[in-house]
Amino acid sequence: MEKTLKTERIDLLQGDYEKGVQRAAQILREGGIVAIPTETVYGLAADATNDAAIAKVFAAKGRPQDNPLIVHIAGFETLYEISADLPQSAVSCAEKFWPGPFTMVVKSSGKVANSVSAGLQTVAVRMPLDNAARDIIAASGRPLAAPSANISGSPSPTSARHVINDLDGLIDAVVISQDCAVGVESTVVSFAGDLPRLLRPGAVTLEQLREIIPDIAVDTAVLSEPEKGAKAASPGMKYKHYAPKTETFLIEGDSKDFTELVNQKPDCLAVCFDEESEKIRIRKICYGSANDGKTLANKLFSVLRQVDEIPAKAVYIHAPSKNGIGLAVYNRLIRAAGFKVIVL
Ligand code: TXA
Ligand code: MG
């Protein structure tokens, strides 16, 4: 798309916070699209009841039309307006994990625009923890649909700078606030089928979910490539995603094997854990300690963006453990690698 808009900067850090919130809300009420901070990643927000505004979001991101959007709300009353037949298990999860990095897919009441759900009978709903996000939603008086504020397929944005790099000139405004505290997108659980089903792992972990809904199923797309032509439970998970332009491989194995492999590849780049850095003799980027999943998640997307600034024949990323938030990091990395996983 041609970059023809003058993207307004709404700075909540240096400017007047309340004025900034009101300005973002005004643009949203008028049908504009605004990048807003959340605790997970920056979102590209639009009024979820306005089909024309939603169409602008799909166009700016270059997003496939069959990939539905998450609706962001500031209070429980909106959940009851936009959903129907809520099961008790969904209500229990919302009470436990909201506000926070947790999204639930439930039956839609038909209140949000059809294009938000990309023709499905369900709607994905989340109440974010970030104060600015909730203040902007409340001030707009609308539920806000907000996919990650990146060009479709590229790593999700965890800072206002990432948003500007991708979308300057394509959106009406960007709200400038702190970098995202979590760094990976919300956990998505569907309550629309027989059993609750994890569609996308995030900072609300599978272990935490099992305490509330012990019968939760894990969708096969969480850990492996969806079969070609199969109907995806979560359309977003079927795409190659988060991918650097450099050819990317995900490597499973211990530190010794990983180090040996990459040291034979002088033209390549390694993305490694802090503690193995010293032994790696090729160019490298560290993304945290192997047993500190929160830091790995927090650095993941900026590291994937950094990869393309270093010319290399290929990049080899050391896979984290799949426990806790590590499952979310692993899930994003197999997509960044286009499902090219090497087990040592
Ligand atoms: O943390 C987040 O969730 C961020 C911030 C901005 O809130 N948003 C985000 O949106 O990650 P997006 O559009 O990048 O990812 C939404 C995911 C996609 O995988 C999509 O397919 C899935 O949620 N999804 C949305 N509505 C759905 C539905 N009705 N049924 C199944 N999956 C759905
Ligand atoms: Mg996204």
Side-chain angles (χ1 to χ4, degrees):
M1 217 172 98
E2 240 185 294
K3 302 200 163 189
T4 50
L5 294 176
K6 177 151 180 25
T7 301
E8 184 173 327
R9 280 24 174 193
I10 302 173
D11 194 334
L12 298 186
L13 301 175
Q14 318 245 322
D16 182 307
Y17 178 85
E18 192 46 39
K19 267 197 193 141
V21 165
Q22 291 302 333
R23 176 64 188 142
Q26 179 193 15
I27 300 172
L28 289 161
R29 275 196 306 273
E30 290 170 355
I33 58 175
V34 181
I36 62 167
T38 86
E39 74 281 13
T40 56
V41 301
Y42 269 74
L44 179 56
D47 176 355
T49 63
N50 179 339
D51 263 313
I54 300 303
K56 291 185 200 169
V57 168
F58 278 90
K61 279 182 61 81
R63 183 173 176 106
Q65 295 292 335
D66 68 347
N67 192 4
L69 309 181
I70 295 172
V71 177
H72 295 66
I73 63 174
F76 271 86
E77 56 301 342
T78 318
L79 169 68
Y80 292 102
E81 280 167 30
I82 67 177
S83 66
D85 306 339
L86 271 184
Q88 182 51 43
S89 52
V91 176
S92 305
C93 285
E95 281 171 351
K96 173 82 183 171
F97 300 121
W98 280 356
F102 173 71
T103 296
M104 51 195 205
V105 174
V106 292
K107 212 188 256 180
S108 171
S109 69
K111 282 264 163 60
V112 298
N114 271 333
S115 51
V116 168
S117 294
L120 301 171
Q121 304 299 308
T122 52
V123 63
V125 194
R126 158 162 132 82
M127 189 191 291
L129 179 62
D130 183 86
N131 284 328
R134 280 212 315 284
D135 288 345
I136 292 167
I137 301 165
S140 76
R142 309 282 205 281
L144 297 180
S148 49
N150 53 305
I151 294 287
S152 238
S154 74
S156 295
T158 53
S159 71
R161 174 56 42 206
H162 294 161
V163 176
I164 291 167
N165 286 345
D166 274 20
L167 297 175
D168 198 19
L170 296 171
I171 63 177
D172 295 297
V174 52
V175 175
I176 298 171
S177 186
Q178 264 106 6
D179 290 357
C180 304
V182 174
V184 289
E185 308 89 333
S186 61
T187 304
V188 181
V189 176
S190 173
F191 292 91
D194 293 343
L195 287 180
R197 175 175 292 266
L198 178 68
L199 301 182
R200 181 176 73 181
V204 168
T205 64
L206 185 56
E207 294 84 346
Q208 286 175 295
L209 288 164
R210 283 196 176 121
E211 284 176 23
I212 315 278
I213 37 174
D215 55 349
I216 185 170
V218 177
D219 199 82
T220 49
V222 167
L223 282 175
S224 55
E225 182 170 18
E227 280 178 37
K228 300 263 179 319
K231 195 169 172 293
S234 181
M237 286 282 112
K238 74 184 181 196
Y239 298 106
K240 179 175 171 186
H241 209 164
Y242 317 113
K245 296 187 183 70
T246 312
E247 176 156 42
T248 303
F249 297 91
L250 185 63
I251 310 301
E252 282 191 52
D254 63 20
S255 245
K256 185 169 161 288
D257 290 344
F258 179 76
T259 308
E260 265 174 35
L261 173 88
V262 297
N263 281 346
Q264 292 160 29
K265 301 186 181 296
D267 310 339
C268 296
L269 177 67
V271 173
C272 63
F273 302 127
D274 294 349
E275 48 273 39
E276 60 204 9
S277 168
E278 271 190 6
K279 299 210 177 74
I280 293 177
R281 292 191 301 273
I282 67 168
R283 288 164 304 163
K284 65 205 157 193
I285 306 173
C286 299
Y287 74 125
S289 168
N291 42 36
D292 178 6
K294 278 194 178 160
T295 300
L296 298 176
N298 189 265
K299 289 191 172 174
L300 175 71
F301 288 135
S302 50
V303 165
L304 290 178
R305 281 174 185 257
Q306 237 179 302
V307 163
D308 279 330
E309 291 163 19
I310 304 171
K313 208 165 141 203
V315 53
Y316 291 81
I317 304 179
H318 201 170
S321 95
K322 296 172 197 132
N323 300 325
I325 197 173
L327 185 64
V329 178
Y330 186 94
N331 168 274
R332 305 314 188 269
L333 284 172
I334 48 174
R335 284 168 176 78
F339 303 98
K340 295 189 298 293
V341 181
I342 299 172
V343 181
L344 298 176

